[in-house]
Amino acid sequence: MVARMSFPQRSRALTVAVFAAVATWAVPSHALFEDDEARRAILELRQRFDALQQSNQRSGERSGEEVSQLRRSLLDLQTQIEALRTEQASLRGQNEQLQREVAELQRRQKDIAQGVDERLRKFEPLAVTVDGREFRADPAEKREFEAALAVFRSGKFPEAATAFGSFMRQYPQSGYLPSARFWLGNAQYATRDYKEAINNFKSLLAAAPDHARAPEAALSIANCQIELKDTRAARKTLEDLMRVYPQSEAAAAAKERLARLK
């Protein structure tokens, strides 16, 4: 295979060929052509040579311009690639920042939702069981009843009477109401407020005669009547207690007290 020559090599080869041709034409005129014919041939050859040389020169100039244009295009392309890389890196950083912000927002939303649930649970009714009765009560209602009961058990009976009275006014439909009346009556008995104690015990029996504290409330009424020296009323109360609640512990205690009243 013949090796492909570069533009300068082609030009030098063409020049050599042309001069070789000129040398051929320079031989004695009688050997080839007459003098006029030789001169015309030489001039034609030179013109062809000049035209070819100019054509090659223009081709070389065009090739140089194309190479320069290609280089500029490559530089522009490289610049665009670098700009795209920079933009991609910036977008990647922004994306990572957005992901972190979204994760933080999700965490905050979860914390807020959890906090809201906890606050709502503080107001949601709870299932409670007191003195054998199951019902639902607000958390605040439950706390206030238990606080009043704690005051009673600490022996602060006047304060306990005030606390249970306040509870009953604030929660008149509460499931704690029968138990609150029972403990209020006991606090009043402890402070020797027998008449008010009798009223609260009777209210308990009228509203909830089947309440677990009802037999004790009847016995407490009899005790208040005994303290008030109303023996006849106390005897009647004890007899009714034994008749209505014969299997209760209060009925056994009522039998003993009734025997002492005779």
Side-chain angles (χ1 to χ4, degrees):
M1 182 181 294
V2 180
R4 181 176 297 179
M5 294 185 292
S6 64
F7 175 73
Q9 290 174 338
R10 291 198 303 269
S11 298
R12 286 194 298 270
L14 181 59
T15 303
V16 172
V18 171
F19 278 104
V22 171
T24 304
W25 285 102
V27 296
S29 58
H30 63 273
L32 295 173
F33 304 101
E34 296 295 333
D35 291 340
D36 292 339
E37 293 179 357
R39 281 195 296 272
R40 283 195 300 271
I42 291 171
L43 289 174
E44 183 181 352
L45 185 58
R46 284 179 178 175
Q47 291 173 357
R48 291 173 60 189
F49 171 75
D50 291 339
L52 183 59
Q53 190 173 20
Q54 290 175 2
S55 176
N56 289 335
Q57 185 176 0
R58 286 193 298 270
S59 298
E61 291 175 356
R62 286 196 301 269
S63 298
E65 290 176 359
E66 292 175 357
V67 170
S68 299
Q69 182 65 30
L70 181 59
R71 287 179 179 174
R72 286 194 297 271
S73 298
L74 289 174
L75 288 174
D76 292 342
L77 182 59
Q78 185 175 1
T79 302
Q80 294 176 10
I81 291 174
E82 291 299 328
L84 288 174
R85 287 177 178 173
T86 302
E87 184 178 0
Q88 184 181 18
S90 176
L91 290 174
R92 186 183 297 111
Q94 293 177 8
N95 185 46
E96 292 175 354
Q97 179 64 27
L98 287 174
Q99 288 178 349
R100 288 192 293 269
E101 291 177 358
V102 169
E104 178 65 17
L105 286 174
Q106 290 176 341
R107 184 189 65 78
R108 290 182 180 179
Q109 184 179 13
K110 182 178 179 180
D111 292 343
I112 291 173
Q114 184 176 359
V116 170
D117 289 341
E118 290 177 356
R119 287 192 292 271
L120 288 176
R121 280 196 293 271
K122 293 179 180 179
F123 298 99
E124 290 180 354
L126 305 172
V128 297
T129 302
V130 178
D131 293 332
R133 285 194 169 189
E134 185 175 349
F135 54 91
R136 300 189 70 81
D138 293 336
E141 178 183 356
K142 180 175 182 292
R143 286 194 302 271
E144 290 190 27
F145 175 82
E146 292 176 347
L149 187 58
V151 173
F152 178 87
R153 288 173 174 169
S154 69
K156 299 177 181 179
F157 302 117
E159 292 85 350
T162 300
F164 279 116
S166 175
F167 176 87
M168 290 167 58
R169 288 189 297 272
Q170 187 172 358
Y171 303 101
Q173 304 300 322
S174 174
Y176 286 106
L177 197 60
S179 298
R181 287 191 184 280
F182 174 79
W183 293 111
L184 174 58
N186 277 279
Q188 291 167 337
Y189 178 85
T191 58
R192 299 184 180 183
D193 189 359
Y194 301 120
K195 291 183 178 180
E196 286 299 321
I198 290 173
N199 290 334
N200 280 295
F201 289 132
K202 285 184 176 181
S203 295
L204 166 59
L205 292 174
D210 58 343
H211 193 272
R213 298 287 184 178
E216 295 179 57
L219 181 61
S220 296
I221 292 173
N223 291 335
C224 290
Q225 291 168 338
I226 291 172
E227 295 293 338
L228 291 172
K229 309 299 183 182
D230 191 353
T231 306
R232 183 178 178 180
R235 183 179 293 109
K236 175 72 167 55
T237 300
L238 293 173
E239 291 174 349
D240 291 340
L241 169 58
M242 295 169 58
R243 177 176 53 83
V244 177
Y245 305 105
Q247 303 300 323
S248 65
E249 294 181 2
K255 185 178 181 179
E256 293 178 1
R257 295 190 183 183
L258 187 59
R260 288 199 299 269
L261 286 177
K262 296 179 179 180

